[in-house]
């Protein structure tokens, strides 16, 4: 029997996008509310009319293949990099600690709090570090690039080198590129075949469609197989 790390109750983290809660707290606030906390493009992508068929069936293998092929073109991911569609980047953030359990996790700098919260909930000891070197000394390292909320950028060459070090050590580097559509030249999607690297991409940030929960994980075939198995049927 395989032992799994305990799942602990994580503290509730206030998150953007919950305008209903904000309205209840401040019922006399002027309208309309402008939510600046979620980093979503306020101008949605111009959608074409949708076929009624999409509301009457589940996505099949061909649908998955089509959306993952579109993501491969958009993110310029080479052959050898697997692409997995999921219910937003958040789904992979919460899934990773269960699929790739670790004891020592480091997160680079002040950043999106859900990464640390998810690993802590899985029983990991999580530290905030300030250097890439400190990051690669742990079992798992997390970099949000560009960083949320301050836009800090880490050079792709530096991340590629860190991913190679993690691969050599048998560790894992997770690079959250949720905002990378705005600076695509800095993406490390081209290195995601490295066994020690997972790259996360978000659809809703740039295209202004947060209600469509769609995100992607780019990684090696071995890690992709484990993620797909954990996601299960759509």
């Amino acid at each position: 029997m395989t032992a799994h790390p305990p799942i602990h109750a994580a503290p509730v983290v206030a998150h953007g996008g919950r305008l209903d809660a904000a309205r209840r707290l401040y019922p006399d606030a002027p309208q309309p509310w402008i939510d600046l906390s979620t980093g979503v493009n306020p101008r949605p992508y111009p959608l074409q009319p949708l076929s009624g068929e999409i509301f009457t069936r589940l996505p099949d293998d061909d649908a998955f293949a089509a959306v993952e092929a579109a993501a491969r073109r958009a993110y310029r991911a080479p052959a050898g990099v697997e692409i997995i569609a999921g219910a937003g980047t958040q789904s992979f953030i919460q899934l990773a600690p269960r699929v790739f359990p670790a004891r020592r996790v480091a997160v680079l700098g002040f950043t999106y709090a859900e990464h640390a919260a998810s690993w802590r909930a899985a029983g990991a000891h999580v530290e905030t570090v300030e250097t890439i070197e400190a990051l690669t000394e742990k079992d798992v390292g997390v970099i949000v690039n560009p960083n949320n909320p301050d836009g800090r950028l880490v050079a792709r060459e530096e991340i590629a080198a860190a991913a190679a070090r993690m691969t050599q050590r048998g560790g894992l580097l997770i690079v959250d590129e949720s905002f990378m559509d705005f600076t695509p030249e800095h993406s490390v999607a081209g290195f995601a075949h490295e066994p020690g690297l997972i790259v996360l991409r978000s659809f809703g940030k740039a295209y202004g469609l947060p209600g469509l929960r769609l995100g992607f994980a780019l990684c090696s075939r071995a890690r992709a197989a484990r993620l797909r198995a954990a996601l299960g049927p759509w």
Side-chain angles (χ1 to χ4, degrees):
M1 181 179 293
T2 302
H4 295 281
I7 302 297
H8 301 284
V12 176
V13 178
H15 196 284
R18 293 174 175 163
L19 290 184
D20 54 351
R23 290 189 182 100
R24 286 193 292 270
L25 285 172
Y26 304 100
D28 298 325
Q31 301 290 331
W33 282 81
I34 301 175
D35 181 16
L36 301 179
S37 62
T38 56
V40 171
N41 189 339
R43 298 179 178 84
Y45 188 83
L47 288 175
Q48 299 298 316
L50 301 176
S51 167
E53 181 186 6
I54 68 171
F55 300 107
T56 61
R57 61 179 177 83
L58 292 171
D60 53 25
D61 290 343
D62 289 344
F64 273 107
V67 74
E68 288 169 1
R72 181 178 299 278
R73 292 192 298 271
Y75 303 145
R76 300 179 182 178
V81 172
E82 289 290 306
I83 300 180
I84 310 157
T89 303
Q90 184 67 34
S91 67
F92 292 110
I93 293 173
Q94 294 177 219
L95 190 65
R98 290 169 28 213
V99 179
F100 309 111
R103 294 186 179 276
R104 303 179 306 145
V105 177
V107 178
L108 185 66
F110 174 75
T111 191
Y112 184 56
E114 292 292 333
H115 286 283
S118 294
W119 285 101
R120 286 194 180 103
H125 175 71
V126 182
E127 295 181 28
T128 299
V129 299
E130 299 301 324
T131 67
I132 299 295
E133 289 72 21
L135 199 76
T136 57
E137 293 173 357
K138 307 300 182 182
D139 303 321
V140 172
V142 178
I143 301 174
V144 180
N145 200 49
N147 192 43
N148 174 11
D150 62 6
R152 175 201 66 212
L153 272 168
V154 179
R156 64 195 301 268
E157 294 79 12
E158 194 172 1
I159 294 178
R165 290 197 295 274
M166 292 298 267
T167 296
Q168 292 172 354
R169 296 181 54 250
L172 175 62
L173 180 65
I174 298 175
V175 181
D176 181 347
E177 293 189 347
S178 289
F179 289 90
M180 191 56 77
D181 283 301
F182 302 105
T183 55
E185 67 276 11
H186 295 284
S187 175
V188 292
F191 303 105
H193 60 276
E194 282 274 4
L197 177 63
I198 294 178
V199 178
L200 304 180
R201 296 294 293 255
S202 172
F203 180 80
K205 300 293 190 298
Y207 292 94
L209 296 170
L212 173 59
R213 302 306 299 148
L214 180 61
F216 299 92
L218 289 71
C219 55
S220 68
R221 287 191 174 94
R223 291 200 184 271
R226 294 175 66 180
L227 284 172
R228 288 188 194 279
L231 284 169
W234 190 256

